[in-house]
Amino acid sequence: MLLAIAAAAVADRVFRTVTDPEEMGEVSGTAVLGVVPKPADPGGVPALDVDAEEFQSLRALRIAIEFASAEDPARLIVVTSASSADPWAGWTEVNLAAALAEVGHRVLVINADRDGEVHPALSAPGEPGLYDVLAGTCELSDAVCAGPTGLVDVLPLGQAHLAAPSLLEMRFRGLLDETEGSYDVVVVHAAPVAGSEDARIMAIHGAMLLTVPAGRVHPRFVQRAADHLRGIRLRVLGSVLLGTRPGRRRRRQRTA
């Protein structure tokens, strides 16, 4: 029995993952702004479909973000995952942009993930994009593509393999300034915070949103990611638990 208890404790430490919003709030030290069901279609845009299971959760996330930044509106929202292998990379960003557009905001979504697979709306292989604009070989207006709905435009990654990573650090602020007047909100899909500094570099100029795919990340990695973001006093709006159902709560043992 003692061996079984010890084995269970070890398994919990090694294999336990975050699946509950209360736990996520505790380990991340952030406000959980959204709990979104597992995407039925990782390449879809359910924020535009009132009958979709994810629609209400995405609407609630948009409202929560607006409330979280009501006193100091965040024009730039950098979204990064706590997981190095996010199966829904870019899905939250595209659907958040669509939800913001539904209430009249002009939104630019930027793909800044140099390595990962992303939502189809953010992918335009061979086309100019973010790194071409940063390198000065392309104008922003020539690199922007139409998004999944009116009022949403997309800036794909572009020729990142030809550009120095330092371009992001040196010229992202200038790109952001260039979007003034054309867009109300800029949403960035950044590489996971565990393996890249890009999210922190960009969020210096705005705010951060941390996403956690439910059932895929150990609590200590979520805590580590959140601590990493706060390390230079970034503005973290909150976090989103993706891939579970709203209202789910952990069972608590009764006390005598």
Side-chain angles (χ1 to χ4, degrees):
M1 183 180 293
L2 290 175
L3 286 174
I5 293 173
V10 171
D12 181 71
R13 288 179 62 86
V14 174
F15 300 110
R16 181 168 150 240
T17 58
V18 174
T19 59
D20 179 88
E22 289 182 0
E23 181 182 28
M24 189 172 78
E26 291 170 5
V27 298
S28 69
T30 65
V32 180
L33 301 181
V35 181
V36 183
K38 178 180 178 180
D41 176 8
V45 191
L48 302 176
D49 181 4
V50 69
D51 295 321
E53 182 182 8
E54 307 96 326
F55 178 86
Q56 290 299 335
S57 296
L58 290 165
R59 179 174 180 266
L61 172 61
R62 186 261 303 165
I63 293 171
I65 290 174
E66 290 180 331
F67 272 110
S69 60
E71 293 185 4
D72 183 13
R75 184 172 173 271
L76 170 68
I77 302 174
V78 178
V79 185
T80 185
S81 177
S83 171
S84 59
D86 188 345
W88 307 298
W91 186 90
T92 302
E93 294 86 328
V94 169
N95 280 279
L96 174 59
L100 287 165
E102 287 293 286
V103 291
H105 295 293
R106 299 167 299 170
V107 188
L108 176 65
V109 189
I110 300 175
N111 177 19
D113 187 349
R114 294 167 61 96
D115 301 312
E117 296 291 328
V118 294
H119 189 284
L122 301 181
S123 180
E127 296 297 323
L130 170 64
Y131 277 91
D132 303 278
V133 176
L134 294 177
T137 61
C138 178
E139 296 294 328
L140 177 62
S141 58
D142 294 328
V144 165
C145 308
T149 185
L151 298 182
V152 175
D153 285 337
V154 170
L155 181 62
L157 183 66
Q159 308 300 316
H161 63 287
L162 299 177
S166 58
L167 276 177
L168 198 67
E169 188 172 357
M170 295 187 298
R171 299 183 180 176
F172 183 76
R173 177 55 189 265
L175 170 64
L176 189 63
D177 290 342
E178 196 175 342
T179 66
E180 284 274 7
S182 299
Y183 301 100
D184 303 311
V185 184
V186 176
V187 178
V188 178
H189 166 64
V193 68
S196 173
E197 291 294 327
D198 289 355
R200 295 208 304 173
I201 288 170
M202 293 181 287
I204 291 172
H205 309 296
M208 179 75 72
L209 186 67
L210 180 67
T211 64
V212 177
R216 293 176 178 266
V217 191
H218 194 281
R220 69 172 175 269
F221 291 116
V222 176
Q223 182 177 16
R224 189 177 301 167
D227 290 344
H228 187 66
L229 296 178
R230 287 190 292 263
I232 55 173
R233 298 183 180 180
L234 288 176
R235 181 185 179 190
V236 181
L237 287 179
S239 56
V240 181
L241 185 62
L242 179 61
T244 189
R245 293 184 179 276
R248 188 176 177 183
R249 294 290 185 269
R250 286 176 295 172
R251 293 182 179 178
R252 297 185 181 275
Q253 293 182 344
R254 294 183 179 180
T255 56

PDB file of all heavy atoms in Angstrom, residues 155-168:
ATOM      1  N   LEU A 155      -1.247  40.033 -41.044  1.00  0.00           N
ATOM      2  CA  LEU A 155       0.132  40.199 -41.488  1.00  0.00           C
ATOM      3  C   LEU A 155       0.830  38.863 -41.260  1.00  0.00           C
ATOM      4  O   LEU A 155       1.140  38.501 -40.116  1.00  0.00           O
ATOM      5  CB  LEU A 155       0.834  41.306 -40.707  1.00  0.00           C
ATOM      6  CG  LEU A 155       2.290  41.601 -41.109  1.00  0.00           C
ATOM      7  CD1 LEU A 155       2.370  42.067 -42.567  1.00  0.00           C
ATOM      8  CD2 LEU A 155       2.906  42.637 -40.176  1.00  0.00           C
ATOM      9  N   PRO A 156       1.066  38.084 -42.323  1.00  0.00           N
ATOM     10  CA  PRO A 156       1.710  36.773 -42.151  1.00  0.00           C
ATOM     11  C   PRO A 156       3.166  36.909 -41.731  1.00  0.00           C
ATOM     12  O   PRO A 156       3.695  38.027 -41.625  1.00  0.00           O
ATOM     13  CB  PRO A 156       1.561  36.121 -43.528  1.00  0.00           C
ATOM     14  CG  PRO A 156       1.430  37.269 -44.479  1.00  0.00           C
ATOM     15  CD  PRO A 156       0.733  38.367 -43.720  1.00  0.00           C
ATOM     16  N   LEU A 157       3.812  35.782 -41.530  1.00  0.00           N
ATOM     17  CA  LEU A 157       5.180  35.785 -41.026  1.00  0.00           C
ATOM     18  C   LEU A 157       6.170  36.362 -42.029  1.00  0.00           C
ATOM     19  O   LEU A 157       7.073  37.114 -41.656  1.00  0.00           O
ATOM     20  CB  LEU A 157       5.597  34.350 -40.664  1.00  0.00           C
ATOM     21  CG  LEU A 157       6.973  34.185 -40.046  1.00  0.00           C
ATOM     22  CD1 LEU A 157       7.029  34.848 -38.678  1.00  0.00           C
ATOM     23  CD2 LEU A 157       7.319  32.693 -39.924  1.00  0.00           C
ATOM     24  N   GLY A 158       6.024  36.025 -43.289  1.00  0.00           N
ATOM     25  CA  GLY A 158       6.971  36.492 -44.294  1.00  0.00           C
ATOM     26  C   GLY A 158       8.244  35.672 -44.300  1.00  0.00           C
ATOM     27  O   GLY A 158       8.299  34.544 -43.805  1.00  0.00           O
ATOM     28  N   GLN A 159       9.317  36.240 -44.852  1.00  0.00           N
ATOM     29  CA  GLN A 159      10.581  35.522 -45.038  1.00  0.00           C
ATOM     30  C   GLN A 159      11.430  35.580 -43.767  1.00  0.00           C
ATOM     31  O   GLN A 159      12.524  36.160 -43.752  1.00  0.00           O
ATOM     32  CB  GLN A 159      11.332  36.128 -46.223  1.00  0.00           C
ATOM     33  CG  GLN A 159      10.524  36.231 -47.498  1.00  0.00           C
ATOM     34  CD  GLN A 159      10.046  34.865 -47.978  1.00  0.00           C
ATOM     35  OE1 GLN A 159      10.802  33.903 -47.971  1.00  0.00           O
ATOM     36  NE2 GLN A 159       8.792  34.787 -48.408  1.00  0.00           N
ATOM     37  N   ALA A 160      10.941  34.940 -42.734  1.00  0.00           N
ATOM     38  CA  ALA A 160      11.642  34.996 -41.446  1.00  0.00           C
ATOM     39  C   ALA A 160      12.991  34.304 -41.501  1.00  0.00           C
ATOM     40  O   ALA A 160      13.934  34.700 -40.792  1.00  0.00           O
ATOM     41  CB  ALA A 160      10.774  34.352 -40.365  1.00  0.00           C
ATOM     42  N   HIS A 161      13.117  33.267 -42.328  1.00  0.00           N
ATOM     43  CA  HIS A 161      14.374  32.518 -42.386  1.00  0.00           C
ATOM     44  C   HIS A 161      15.513  33.339 -42.999  1.00  0.00           C
ATOM     45  O   HIS A 161      16.682  32.985 -42.855  1.00  0.00           O
ATOM     46  CB  HIS A 161      14.175  31.233 -43.196  1.00  0.00           C
ATOM     47  CG  HIS A 161      13.809  31.463 -44.631  1.00  0.00           C
ATOM     48  ND1 HIS A 161      12.554  31.912 -45.005  1.00  0.00           N
ATOM     49  CD2 HIS A 161      14.527  31.340 -45.777  1.00  0.00           C
ATOM     50  CE1 HIS A 161      12.514  32.034 -46.326  1.00  0.00           C
ATOM     51  NE2 HIS A 161      13.691  31.702 -46.820  1.00  0.00           N
ATOM     52  N   LEU A 162      15.170  34.441 -43.656  1.00  0.00           N
ATOM     53  CA  LEU A 162      16.195  35.295 -44.258  1.00  0.00           C
ATOM     54  C   LEU A 162      16.548  36.487 -43.377  1.00  0.00           C
ATOM     55  O   LEU A 162      17.446  37.261 -43.720  1.00  0.00           O
ATOM     56  CB  LEU A 162      15.709  35.814 -45.623  1.00  0.00           C
ATOM     57  CG  LEU A 162      15.398  34.758 -46.692  1.00  0.00           C
ATOM     58  CD1 LEU A 162      14.858  35.430 -47.946  1.00  0.00           C
ATOM     59  CD2 LEU A 162      16.632  33.923 -47.003  1.00  0.00           C
ATOM     60  N   ALA A 163      15.847  36.620 -42.275  1.00  0.00           N
ATOM     61  CA  ALA A 163      16.011  37.816 -41.445  1.00  0.00           C
ATOM     62  C   ALA A 163      16.647  37.483 -40.102  1.00  0.00           C
ATOM     63  O   ALA A 163      16.463  36.391 -39.552  1.00  0.00           O
ATOM     64  CB  ALA A 163      14.654  38.480 -41.218  1.00  0.00           C
ATOM     65  N   ALA A 164      17.376  38.429 -39.566  1.00  0.00           N
ATOM     66  CA  ALA A 164      17.968  38.263 -38.236  1.00  0.00           C
ATOM     67  C   ALA A 164      16.883  38.408 -37.174  1.00  0.00           C
ATOM     68  O   ALA A 164      16.032  39.295 -37.272  1.00  0.00           O
ATOM     69  CB  ALA A 164      19.042  39.328 -38.014  1.00  0.00           C
ATOM     70  N   PRO A 165      16.869  37.527 -36.160  1.00  0.00           N
ATOM     71  CA  PRO A 165      15.874  37.642 -35.089  1.00  0.00           C
ATOM     72  C   PRO A 165      15.877  39.008 -34.410  1.00  0.00           C
ATOM     73  O   PRO A 165      14.856  39.464 -33.901  1.00  0.00           O
ATOM     74  CB  PRO A 165      16.289  36.528 -34.113  1.00  0.00           C
ATOM     75  CG  PRO A 165      17.049  35.549 -34.949  1.00  0.00           C
ATOM     76  CD  PRO A 165      17.754  36.378 -35.980  1.00  0.00           C
ATOM     77  N   SER A 166      17.033  39.685 -34.415  1.00  0.00           N
ATOM     78  CA  SER A 166      17.141  40.987 -33.747  1.00  0.00           C
ATOM     79  C   SER A 166      16.282  42.059 -34.402  1.00  0.00           C
ATOM     80  O   SER A 166      16.029  43.110 -33.800  1.00  0.00           O
ATOM     81  CB  SER A 166      18.599  41.450 -33.725  1.00  0.00           C
ATOM     82  OG  SER A 166      19.124  41.534 -35.039  1.00  0.00           O
ATOM     83  N   LEU A 167      15.821  41.820 -35.634  1.00  0.00           N
ATOM     84  CA  LEU A 167      14.944  42.794 -36.299  1.00  0.00           C
ATOM     85  C   LEU A 167      13.702  43.071 -35.468  1.00  0.00           C
ATOM     86  O   LEU A 167      13.211  44.194 -35.418  1.00  0.00           O
ATOM     87  CB  LEU A 167      14.531  42.279 -37.680  1.00  0.00           C
ATOM     88  CG  LEU A 167      15.480  42.518 -38.844  1.00  0.00           C
ATOM     89  CD1 LEU A 167      14.929  41.881 -40.109  1.00  0.00           C
ATOM     90  CD2 LEU A 167      15.695  44.008 -39.053  1.00  0.00           C
ATOM     91  N   LEU A 168      13.190  42.027 -34.835  1.00  0.00           N
ATOM     92  CA  LEU A 168      11.977  42.188 -34.036  1.00  0.00           C
ATOM     93  C   LEU A 168      12.226  43.155 -32.883  1.00  0.00           C
ATOM     94  O   LEU A 168      11.400  44.033 -32.602  1.00  0.00           O
ATOM     95  CB  LEU A 168      11.534  40.825 -33.506  1.00  0.00           C
ATOM     96  CG  LEU A 168      10.089  40.712 -33.012  1.00  0.00           C
ATOM     97  CD1 LEU A 168       9.126  40.865 -34.180  1.00  0.00           C
ATOM     98  CD2 LEU A 168       9.869  39.365 -32.334  1.00  0.00           C
TER      99      LEU A 168
END
